[in-house]
Amino acid sequence: MYAIVNDSSKFKRLSTDPTVAREQNLIKLLNRLLKEKSITEQFFKMSCPKGSNPGRLYGLPKIHKDNIPLRPVLSAIGTFNYGLGKALTNILSDIIEKEKMVRDPFSFVEELKTLPKSFSNYKMVSFDISSLYTNVPLDETIEIILKNLYETRATPPTIQRDDMKQLLIFATKNTHFLFDNNLYDQVDGVSMGSPLAPLLAEIFLQDFEKKHSSTFTSMGIVYWKRYVDDTFVLIDSTFSAKDICTKLSQFQKSIKFTCEEEAANTNTLSFLNILIQKQPGIGFATKVHRKETFSGLITQWSSFVPKAY
């Protein structure tokens, strides 16, 4: 975890706790917007913080990966901008073009069944983005959101553009937390655990795909379907998956792709929790894929654990 928080391009150590000052500044902005009738009473109540605390950063071990790296997760409930993040999510959620997303493994399997049989002659590759959330460029993503809200839409929000930008900055760039009794600011990227994090990551990646999809064909990409940071791709076998991966990583300096190709001896590739087997000229067969670390153990319903879990 120290290697993560010591990355000065993403985090900055603080000498004082900015919680009270940031809470007061946000309340001041929200009061003005409410007075101007730019926001509703409901938005105000959801966003207005009281008795806030810094977030808490912890790491979840990725036991299925080599060297068991940690995934940084921010416990953001009770932070000064948690409610604001939830309120903004309600406004921004329709920016997402849901038809371009893999909703879940079940819908993905159904889509595979609808692909032309000729697609099973292409090579299967999965692309993964390394540490997506901490590498989402905030300034760029905020501008993407503002352009969509105030230039693309026929009816912009009642909140003025500059005020919306300020709210987005409050909800994202002004994120501080405690780790090992030290205070840090996250200066770029989004925090896993923030209400806005999945939405901002998806908005950024959909814009990334729009900008570069016209070049996919020339790179040998025939089919592209993404679930968050994992993408299932069919490529022309005359192209190199590693070369495509390198080119994708060059499109955006903060985003780095890794790739995994189908197993040549079995024509199989794991994606999400699905094992996909290519049957050239026929189609794709699928079955449940379990990682080597899967134990099959589950919590008994009658165990002494809150039912919410």
Side-chain angles (χ1 to χ4, degrees), residues 71 96-98 100-105 108 127-134 136 190 192 196-209 224-232 255 257 271-272:
R71 175 185 288 112
I96 297 298
E97 298 179 37
K98 295 182 180 179
K100 295 188 176 181
M101 303 164 53
V102 173
R103 189 172 69 252
D104 52 53
F108 177 68
F127 291 113
D128 177 57
I129 299 174
S130 301
S131 303
L132 169 63
Y133 280 23
T134 53
V136 171
V190 294
M192 184 176 288
L196 270 178
L199 185 62
L200 292 181
E202 186 62 33
I203 289 171
F204 166 71
L205 286 178
Q206 287 198 5
D207 183 77
F208 173 89
E209 290 166 343
W224 174 285
K225 204 69 177 181
R226 180 178 51 78
Y227 179 82
V228 191
D229 59 349
D230 293 320
T231 309
F232 176 81
I255 299 297
F257 286 83
F271 179 69
L272 304 181

Side-chain angles (χ1 to χ4, degrees), residues 197-248:
L199 185 62
L200 292 181
E202 186 62 33
I203 289 171
F204 166 71
L205 286 178
Q206 287 198 5
D207 183 77
F208 173 89
E209 290 166 343
K210 283 180 183 177
K211 286 179 179 176
H212 304 293
S213 59
S214 60
T215 64
F216 284 179
T217 303
S218 63
M219 293 165 59
I221 296 173
V222 179
Y223 176 81
W224 174 285
K225 204 69 177 181
R226 180 178 51 78
Y227 179 82
V228 191
D229 59 349
D230 293 320
T231 309
F232 176 81
V233 179
L234 296 174
I235 67 171
D236 188 323
S237 58
T238 60
F239 288 79
S240 165
K242 291 183 179 179
D243 288 345
I244 295 173
C245 185
T246 300
K247 290 178 182 177
L248 289 171

Side-chain angles (χ1 to χ4, degrees), residues 32-40 157-160 163:
R32 177 174 66 79
L33 294 177
L34 182 64
K35 186 177 180 180
E36 295 172 354
K37 297 184 179 180
S38 296
I39 59 174
T40 63
T158 55
I159 304 171
Q160 294 298 309
D163 290 330

Side-chain angles (χ1 to χ4, degrees), residues 120-298:
S120 59
N121 293 316
Y122 295 114
K123 184 191 294 185
M124 297 188 298
V125 181
S126 68
F127 291 113
D128 177 57
I129 299 174
S130 301
S131 303
L132 169 63
Y133 280 23
T134 53
N135 287 302
V136 171
L138 276 180
D139 290 332
E140 182 177 340
T141 305
I142 288 173
E143 289 304 317
I144 292 168
I145 292 170
L146 295 175
K147 182 177 180 180
N148 183 285
L149 292 177
Y150 297 96
E151 297 177 27
T152 304
R153 290 191 183 186
T155 306
T158 55
I159 304 171
Q160 294 298 309
R161 183 172 183 144
D162 288 344
D163 290 330
M164 178 63 77
K165 183 174 183 178
Q166 196 61 40
L167 288 173
L168 287 167
I169 290 172
F170 266 118
T172 56
K173 300 192 78 172
N174 291 343
T175 298
H176 60 281
F177 58 85
L178 277 168
F179 174 71
D180 196 20
N181 293 320
N182 291 311
L183 278 163
Y184 295 86
D185 235 351
Q186 183 162 355
V187 295
D188 201 9
V190 294
S191 304
M192 184 176 288
S194 164
L196 270 178
L199 185 62
L200 292 181
E202 186 62 33
I203 289 171
F204 166 71
L205 286 178
Q206 287 198 5
D207 183 77
F208 173 89
E209 290 166 343
K210 283 180 183 177
K211 286 179 179 176
H212 304 293
S213 59
S214 60
T215 64
F216 284 179
T217 303
S218 63
M219 293 165 59
I221 296 173
V222 179
Y223 176 81
W224 174 285
K225 204 69 177 181
R226 180 178 51 78
Y227 179 82
V228 191
D229 59 349
D230 293 320
T231 309
F232 176 81
V233 179
L234 296 174
I235 67 171
D236 188 323
S237 58
T238 60
F239 288 79
S240 165
K242 291 183 179 179
D243 288 345
I244 295 173
C245 185
T246 300
K247 290 178 182 177
L248 289 171
S249 298
Q250 292 171 347
F251 287 149
Q252 175 73 38
K253 65 179 182 179
S254 65
I255 299 297
K256 299 301 176 188
F257 286 83
T258 60
C259 70
E260 180 184 353
E261 300 182 46
E262 64 180 59
N265 56 335
T266 59
N267 289 340
T268 58
L269 178 72
S270 61
F271 179 69
L272 304 181
N273 59 349
I274 309 164
L275 185 66
I276 307 166
Q277 183 175 37
K278 183 179 70 177
Q279 299 172 322
I282 300 175
F284 300 91
T286 59
K287 64 179 182 180
V288 174
H289 171 70
R290 300 295 190 191
K291 293 183 173 69
E292 293 180 359
T293 52
F294 177 74
S295 65
L297 296 175
I298 60 174

Side-chain angles (χ1 to χ4, degrees), residues 88-100:
L88 287 172
T89 298
N90 295 335
I91 294 177
L92 305 179
S93 57
D94 60 350
I95 292 178
I96 297 298
E97 298 179 37
K98 295 182 180 179
E99 66 276 4
K100 295 188 176 181

Side-chain angles (χ1 to χ4, degrees), residues 105-122:
F106 303 102
S107 60
F108 177 68
V109 168
E110 291 303 312
E111 181 164 339
L112 281 180
K113 294 177 182 178
T114 66
L115 294 179
K117 292 181 179 179
S118 60
F119 276 33
S120 59
N121 293 316
Y122 295 114

